[in-house]
Amino acid sequence: KTDFINFISDQEWKSIEPVSSWFGPSSFLMSSMSALFQLSMWIRHCHGYLTENVGIPVWGSYAVFALATLFSGLILGLVSEALETDWLV
C-alpha cells in the first residue's frame, strides 16, 4: 500500500511508457481475446451439461464438439468460396 502511495505522490508514473493502443483493454485484439476466453468457458459449460445432465459419456461429448468443429469449418469454407466466386465474377 505504501509503495503505491509513494508511486503516486513521487509522480513515478510519469516515467512509465503508456500501453500501446493495440494492447489497450478496448482494442480489437483484446476484445477478440476476451471473446475467445468466453467461448472456451461456454464450451466448458456445455461439456459439463452434456456429461452431467444429459448423461452422455465424456468421449461422446468430445465427439459432439469434434463434429461441430468439422461442420462449422465446412460451412465457413463453403461461404468463403461462395463469396470469393461472387467477388471474382
Side-chain angles (χ1 to χ4, degrees):
K1 179 179 168 181
T2 57
D3 289 338
F4 181 69
I5 292 172
N6 290 337
F7 179 77
I8 301 298
S9 64
D10 296 340
Q11 296 184 354
E12 293 176 23
W13 53 271
K14 289 184 177 181
S15 64
I16 296 177
E17 242 179 86
V19 175
S20 169
S21 64
W22 183 249
F23 294 110
S26 61
S27 70
F28 176 75
L29 177 66
M30 291 300 141
S31 297
S32 301
M33 290 297 291
S34 172
L36 285 175
F37 285 124
Q38 289 175 353
L39 175 65
S40 68
M41 292 305 294
W42 180 79
I43 290 173
R44 181 179 175 197
H45 173 74
C46 289
H47 173 72
Y49 176 77
L50 289 174
T51 55
E52 295 170 9
N53 295 357
V54 178
I56 295 176
V58 172
W59 63 266
S61 174
Y62 290 153
V64 167
F65 287 115
L67 289 174
T69 302
L70 288 173
F71 283 125
S72 64
L74 174 68
I75 291 170
L76 288 173
L78 289 173
V79 168
S80 71
E81 284 298 317
L83 290 176
E84 183 178 307
T85 304
D86 287 344
W87 285 79
L88 291 176
V89 173

